């Protein structure tokens, strides 16, 4: 029995968002050649998904069918034939999932369609993905791209089918009812204890769980018993510690030590106070000695200074008498120079006043002249600004670049439209005396061009209608549109014609040029005037004129008769200044001499006074020292004070030694440490008392529960449970041994079945590898390749050879399965990629021959390699809407 695919269509399946189909698949060899990433593997996976995966499933594999970033429902349609019966399958996943199977027995939907499909193709219900062992025949013969090198290992369903077919040929009991009953009974008994993989189950699992439970309870009871015993030990230990703590608190030696420390602290504080007293007494004695030493030294120093001061006073008095005569002479000379300087200054002031008056008069003349000129410029500026306003208005009407482009376009449009109308219009002319009216208006002299239906009225009811050809209507309409666009452009700028509009733009350009000239004139006419305090600029000039008084005189005085000139006055000022400078220099020298004489005389007077005051002050110091109470017998008092200081120093040293032997801070730290130790001991006594109370309560609670008896009972129950478990494990081991013996017997029988498979495979292998013989294991998987006397493991062969043997083995199984009536179809995705040219051609011939008995579909990206292969060559096609 063969399975033939006729058409495959995909929609929203991975890369195929739009509907694509693969149609025209024939009975024999079909070659689907397309480049990498064209969707070959996607089509193959879509076929497998439509046939083997449930429509309502939402596994990760099915979710991967959705195009990236979309939440649509992947949809697959198949048309296929099984043993001559045609079927149509439509399946949609995820979004509004559904399935429909139409065949000879009618249409089925939903789970009914899934069950019918499963019965038709003889495969098992799939889980989260494709289980090759449960896909039946097609799971063995449809080879995805990544599985081309995998060893051919038929699933249990395929092996059982092949075994049933070959049972008569082998003459064995494989599949017989007796064998099955024995094997099933052993497996059933073994299943009471362990699973097929050896994990505990059933009664054995319950026995193990019972042992574990009892062991846990025994451990818990033992732990509680141990804890109770530990509580007794802890109670005795805490009581012992409490007795020790109470003894420590009642220790008389510690109490006496604490009292001794307190007594030593008092002694240390008394020694420190004595030290302070002795230090104060020593300081007083030392101060008394210093005071008497200083008093004696001060008296001796004062006597020496008095002798020196009396000699200095005598010398200062002699020096001052000589300087008094020089001072009188300097005063007379200074008075004479001061009188001459006064007269020179008066003359210079008068000359400067005359010069300033003349300069002010001339400045006023210049100011009035400048104001008159500014008023004249202001009038011109007002006129220029009025002209600038007019120019700004004209310049503002300049056309933009877009307007100029529109002007050119509109002129060209109008000219072209007018030309078309003129070329197709009717020219009329009339000569004579009759009045002729053209559409109610007099006919212009020389005639007119008519482009639309027009009426000529000759009077007395005589009327002529002229109708131009209809071909002129479009030209006339285009002319009307061009005129309308022209009128809109002209109206926007307030112009009557294109020429008027160009004149406006030229006038705006001229105005812009003139504006630059006006601006230059205004800048030239408004310079700054520092003398009037006028800044540069039009605004500054206007403000200046506006702030001038209305009665400001703008004419300058012209009466200069009898007045000395400025140069003459400047000469007089210079001469007066020279005379004044001479008088000032003489006065300065006289004053310098006077000041020097005064200073010398003053310094001498101060020196004399200082010397006299110094002598007087020293005398007062000597008198005060001699009047001091201690001065009368200073020598004897000083000796006594030094003896007292020595005694106080000895007493101080003794007090320092006593204080050093007793450190109050150290003793206080020792007292604090002892206090903390006692407080911690008190806390420990409290903690131990609380712990003892808690342990006694726990012992009272736990002691009455019979933990010892409970441990003994649980120990006996655990031993019994372990014995039961050991018995069950022995039974399970015996059953496993029986199972293994039967399996070995089955394998021995199975080995008799590999001959027919190897025979069919060898026919194909000899065409590729002459002289070679394939070897199959009891699981019907290709295991070895015998070349002469050398047997090779297929795993050690080259990649190309493994790939070729995998394809050949599938062909052998396909022949056996087809003979048994299984649905057979071979589908290969990118096969034989590792084959050399010679073996590739041989494999293509082999596939071509096999295609005579079954449908073979080859997806490949190697168009050149398979170009010589016979059969249908197909491609994916996007369906048009």
């Amino acid at each position: 029995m063969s399975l033939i695919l006729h058409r495959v269509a995909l929609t929203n399946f991975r890369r195929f968002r739009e509907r694509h189909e693969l149609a025209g698949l024939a009975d024999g060899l079909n070659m689907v050649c397309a480049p990498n990433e064209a969707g070959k593997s996607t089509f193959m996976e879509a076929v497998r998904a439509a046939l083997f995966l449930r429509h309502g499933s939402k596994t990760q594999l099915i979710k991967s069918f959705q195009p990236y970033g979309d939440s649509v429902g992947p949809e697959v349609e198949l048309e296929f034939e099984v043993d001559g019966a045609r079927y149509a399958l439509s399946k949609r996943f995820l979004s509004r999932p559904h399935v429909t199977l139409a065949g000879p027995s009618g249409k089925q939907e939903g789970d009914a369609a899934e069950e019918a499909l499963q019965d038709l193709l003889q495969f098992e219900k799939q889980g989260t993905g494709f289980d090759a062992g449960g896909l039946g025949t097609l799971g063995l013969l449809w080879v995805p791209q990544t599985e081309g090198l995998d060893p051919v290992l038929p699933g249990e369903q395929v092996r059982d089918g092949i075994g049933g077919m070959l049972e008569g040929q082998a003459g064995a009991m494989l599949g017989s009812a007796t064998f099955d009953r024995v094997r099933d009974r052993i497996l059933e008994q073994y299943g009471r204890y362990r699973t097929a993989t050896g994990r505990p189950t059933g009664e054995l699992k319950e026995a193990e769980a019972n042992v574990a439970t009892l062991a846990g309870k025994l451990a818990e009871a033992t732990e509680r018993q141990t804890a109770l015993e530990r509580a007794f030990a802890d109670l005795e230990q805490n009581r012992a510690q409490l007795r020790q703590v109470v003894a420590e608190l009642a220790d008389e030696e510690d109490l006496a030590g604490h009292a001794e420390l307190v007594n030593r602290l008092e002694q240390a504080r008394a020694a420190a106070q004595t030290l302070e007293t002795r230090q104060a007494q020593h300081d007083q004695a030392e101060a008394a000695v210093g005071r008497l030493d200083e008093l004696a030294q001060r008296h001796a120093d004062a006597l020496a200074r008095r002798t020196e001061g009396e000699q200095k006073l005598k010398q200062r008095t002699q020096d001052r008498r000589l300087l008094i005569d020089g001072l009188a002479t300097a005063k007379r000379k200074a008075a004479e120079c001061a009188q001459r300087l006064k007269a020179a200054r008066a003359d210079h002031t008068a000359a400067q006043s005359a010069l300033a008056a003349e300069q002010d008069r001339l400045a006023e003349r210049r100011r009035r002249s400048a104001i008159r000129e500014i008023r004249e410029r202001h009038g011109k500026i007002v006129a220029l600004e009025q002209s600038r306003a007019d120019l700004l208005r004209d310049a503002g009407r300049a056309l933009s670049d877009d307007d100029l482009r529109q002007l050119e376009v509109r002129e060209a449009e109008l000219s072209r439209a007018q030309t078309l109308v003129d070329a197709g219009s009717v020219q009329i002319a009339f000569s004579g005396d009759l009045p002729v009216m053209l559409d109610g208006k007099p006919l212009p002299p020389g005639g007119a061009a008519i482009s639309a239906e027009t009426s000529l009225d000759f009077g007395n009811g005589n009327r002529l209608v002229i109708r131009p050809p209809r071909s002129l209507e479009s030209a006339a309409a285009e002319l009307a549109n061009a005129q309308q666009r022209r009128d809109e452009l002209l109206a926007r700028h307030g112009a009557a014609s294109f020429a008027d509009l160009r004149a406006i733009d030229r006038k705006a350009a001229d105005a812009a040029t003139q504006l630059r000239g006006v601006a230059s004139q205004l800048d030239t006419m408004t310079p700054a005037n520092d003398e009037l305090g006028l800044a540069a600029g039009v605004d500054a000039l206007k403000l200046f004129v506006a702030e001038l008084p209305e009665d400001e005189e703008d004419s300058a005085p012209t009466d200069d008769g009898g007045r000395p000139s400025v140069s003459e006055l400047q000469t007089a000022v210079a001469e007066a200044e020279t005379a004044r400078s001479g008088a000032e220099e003489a006065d300065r020298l006289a004053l310098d001499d006077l000041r020097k004489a005064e200073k010398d005389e003053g310094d001498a007077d101060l020196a004399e006074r200082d010397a006299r005051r110094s002598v007087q002050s020293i005398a007062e110091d000597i008198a005060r020292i001699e009047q001091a109470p201690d001065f009368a017998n200073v020598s004897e008092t000083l000796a006594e004070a030094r003896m007292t200081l020595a005694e106080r120093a000895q007493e101080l040293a003794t007090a320092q030694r006593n204080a050093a032997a007793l450190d109050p801070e150290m003793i206080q730290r020792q007292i604090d440490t002892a206090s903390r130790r006692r407080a911690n001991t008190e806390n420990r006594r409290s903690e131990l008392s609380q712990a003892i109370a808690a342990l006694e309560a726990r012992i009272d609670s736990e002691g009455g529960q019979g933990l010892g008896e409970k441990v003994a009972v649980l120990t006996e129950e655990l031993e019994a449970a372990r014995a039961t478990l050991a018995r069950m494990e022995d039974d399970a081991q015996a059953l496993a041994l029986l199972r293994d013996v039967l399996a070995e017997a089955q394998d021995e029988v199975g080995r008799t079945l590999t001959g027919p498979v190897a025979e069919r495979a060898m026919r194909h292998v000899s065409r590729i590898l002459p002289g070679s013989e394939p070897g199959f294991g009891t699981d019907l998987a290709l295991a070895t390749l015998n070349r002469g006397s050398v047997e090779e493991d297929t795993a050690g062969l080259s990649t190309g050879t493994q790939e070729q043997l995998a394809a050949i083995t599938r062909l052998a199984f396909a022949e056996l399965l087809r003979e048994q009536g299984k649905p057979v179809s071979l589908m290969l995705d990118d096969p034989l990629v590792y084959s050399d040219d010679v073996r590739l051609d041989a494999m293509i011939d082999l596939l071509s021959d096999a295609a005579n008995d079954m449908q073979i579909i080859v997806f490949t990206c190697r168009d050149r390699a398979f170009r010589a292969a016979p059969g249908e060559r197909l491609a994916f096609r996007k369906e048009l809407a």
Side-chain angles (χ1 to χ4, degrees), residues 459-480:
N460 298 326
N462 298 313
R463 186 167 171 268
L464 176 65
V465 177
I466 300 175
R467 294 186 179 91
R470 291 187 178 277
S471 59
L472 191 60
E473 291 180 1
S474 61
E478 183 177 354
L479 176 61

Side-chain angles (χ1 to χ4, degrees), residues 704-753:
Q705 296 183 8
L707 292 178
E709 295 178 2
K710 191 173 184 179
V711 168
V713 172
L714 288 173
T715 301
E716 292 177 0
E717 291 179 356
L718 178 60
E719 289 176 356
R722 284 174 176 170
T724 301
L725 176 62
R727 178 178 55 76
M728 289 183 179
E729 288 178 341
D730 291 340
D731 292 346
Q733 187 174 1
L735 290 171
L737 179 59
L738 287 173
R739 181 198 61 187
D740 294 342
V741 170
L742 287 177
E744 290 176 2
Q746 187 179 17
D747 290 342
E748 182 65 26
V749 173
R751 280 191 287 272
T752 64
L753 303 180

Side-chain angles (χ1 to χ4, degrees), residues 67 117 284-285 307 337 368 421 482 498 514 548 670 705 750 752:
L117 192 63
Q284 290 176 359
T307 301
C337 290
R368 292 179 180 275
V421 170
F498 285 144
Q514 294 178 28
L548 286 175
Q670 292 175 349
Q705 296 183 8
T752 64

Side-chain angles (χ1 to χ4, degrees), residues 1 3 51 80-83 85-87 101 103-104 113-123 821-823:
M1 183 171 69
L3 181 146
L51 293 177
F80 61 94
E81 179 181 331
V82 178
D83 200 18
R86 296 292 293 255
Y87 295 88
L101 177 65
E114 298 283 13
E115 298 297 335
L117 192 63
Q118 185 174 339
D119 292 340
L120 178 66
L121 299 181
Q122 302 177 26
F123 64 88
K822 301 291 183 181

